[in-house]
């Protein structure tokens, strides 16, 4: 059975970090509608004033943050001494777990900046896991082409027996960046019960087999349950992110960059941040 559309949302202008103008596809107000996912931000601008203030030092606990760049770059550094640059086509899958303090500073390329940050929740038994990074460079992300009219970049999950480089993530996510020529079709089976969404980043297309609604850029499509998705591009080409994962189905207590199960756990996190015991040494 093909999955039907449950909801279509348009991303909303949002101010974050030290003054970054971005577009939020979903976030706090949509919880728990996208469980296990918490937030998706789209940073797309040709004006450095929109993003240069960046995201100076801040903590995370209880979640994973996934940064995927298309244009420009993000320089990052953290409390574990990691430092690096996320370049176009690269992905950083950061598991904050018990706690990380980091900064993420965008730098455009000829003024251009385009990237996405997805927040993935962690189940209670993994919220305090050891922090870890998966940094994958563009050349290590496989692309599968179907007859030159559909190209699937596989960040995580599996398509046509090719596995993406980000593996062993608790909610068993799939994260694809899919480009389709005009009039092309794409089908993919996703486990029943898993949450699935698509976010359109270029062009427009149909996200149900009946092709009634043409959906364009900066729109988020949340699917109903089912076995597989069928997506068809219209007269224009289409590019979208297709993301799925296993729902966690636990209470969500969320305060800024920390997402736990209870208010008490949030209070502990911020108290530890204030008194300098937020980072757990192992
Ligand atoms: Fe962050």
């Amino acid at each position: 059975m093909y999955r039907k559309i449950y909801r279509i949302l348009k991303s909303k202008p949002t101010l974050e970090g030290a003054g970054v103008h971005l577009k939020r596809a979903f976030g706090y107000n949509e919880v728990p509608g996208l469980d296990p996912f918490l937030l998706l931000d789209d940073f797309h601008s040709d004006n450095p004033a929109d993003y240069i203030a960046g995201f100076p030092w801040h903590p995370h606990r209880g979640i994973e943050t996934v940064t995927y760049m298309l244009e420009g770059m993000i320089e990052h550094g953290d409390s574990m001494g990691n430092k690096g640059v996320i370049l176009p086509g690269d992905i950083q899958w950061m598991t904050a777990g018990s706690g990380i303090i980091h900064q993420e500073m965008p730098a455009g390329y000829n003024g251009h900046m385009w990237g996405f940050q997805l927040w993935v929740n962690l189940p209670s038994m993994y919220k305090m896991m050891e922090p870890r990074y998966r940094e994958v460079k563009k050349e290590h992300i496989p692309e599968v082409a179907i007859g030159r009219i559909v190209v699937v970049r596989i960040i995580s999950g599996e398509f046509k027996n090719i596995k993406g480089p980000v593996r062993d993530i608790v909610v068993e996510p799939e994260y694809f960046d899919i480009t389709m020529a005009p009039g092309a079709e794409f089908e993919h089976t996703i486990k029943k019960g898993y949450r699935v969404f698509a976010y359109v980043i270029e062009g427009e297309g149909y996200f149900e087999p009946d092709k009634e609604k043409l959906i364009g850029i900066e729109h988020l499509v949340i699917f109903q349950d089912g076995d597989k998705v069928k997506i068809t591009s219209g007269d224009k080409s289409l590019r979208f992110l297709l993301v799925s994962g296993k729902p966690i189905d636990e209470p969500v207590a969320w305060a800024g960059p920390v997402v736990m199960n209870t208010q008490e756990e949030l209070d502990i996190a911020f108290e530890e941040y204030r008194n300098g015991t937020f980072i757990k040494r192992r």
Side-chain angles (χ1 to χ4, degrees), residues 226-246:
D227 302 303
K228 51 186 175 176
V229 293
K230 181 170 185 169
I231 294 150
T232 314
S233 42
D235 298 336
K236 294 182 193 167
S237 59
L238 168 67
R239 187 175 183 186
F240 61 101
L241 307 178
L242 183 69
V243 180
S244 64
K246 187 182 184 177

Side-chain angles (χ1 to χ4, degrees), residues 55-60 63 65 67 92 94 100-104 117 119 257:
F55 303 89
W57 295 99
H58 59 278
H60 287 290
I63 59 168
T65 66
T67 307
Q92 182 199 66
M94 184 191 86
I100 210 162
I101 299 171
H102 74 165
Q103 64 170 348
E104 301 161 285
Q117 190 167 82
W119 288 15

Side-chain angles (χ1 to χ4, degrees), residues 19-21 44-53 106 108-113:
V20 177
H21 294 266
H44 194 183
S45 176
D46 296 331
N47 177 8
D50 283 344
Y51 55 79
I52 210 76
Y109 180 76
N110 290 336
H112 300 295
M113 160 66 49

Side-chain angles (χ1 to χ4, degrees), residues 88-129:
D90 296 353
I91 188 121
Q92 182 199 66
W93 199 294
M94 184 191 86
T95 305
S98 61
I100 210 162
I101 299 171
H102 74 165
Q103 64 170 348
E104 301 161 285
M105 304 305 285
Y109 180 76
N110 290 336
H112 300 295
M113 160 66 49
W114 198 8
F116 305 94
Q117 190 167 82
L118 174 70
W119 288 15
V120 184
N121 206 358
L122 286 167
S124 55
M125 67 177 295
Y126 292 96
K127 281 199 178 288
M128 296 300 282
M129 70 186 279

Side-chain angles (χ1 to χ4, degrees), residues 97-99 128-131 280-282:
S98 61
M128 296 300 282
M129 70 186 279
E130 196 169 344
K280 307 298 171 197
R281 307 281 170 203
R282 288 166 209 264

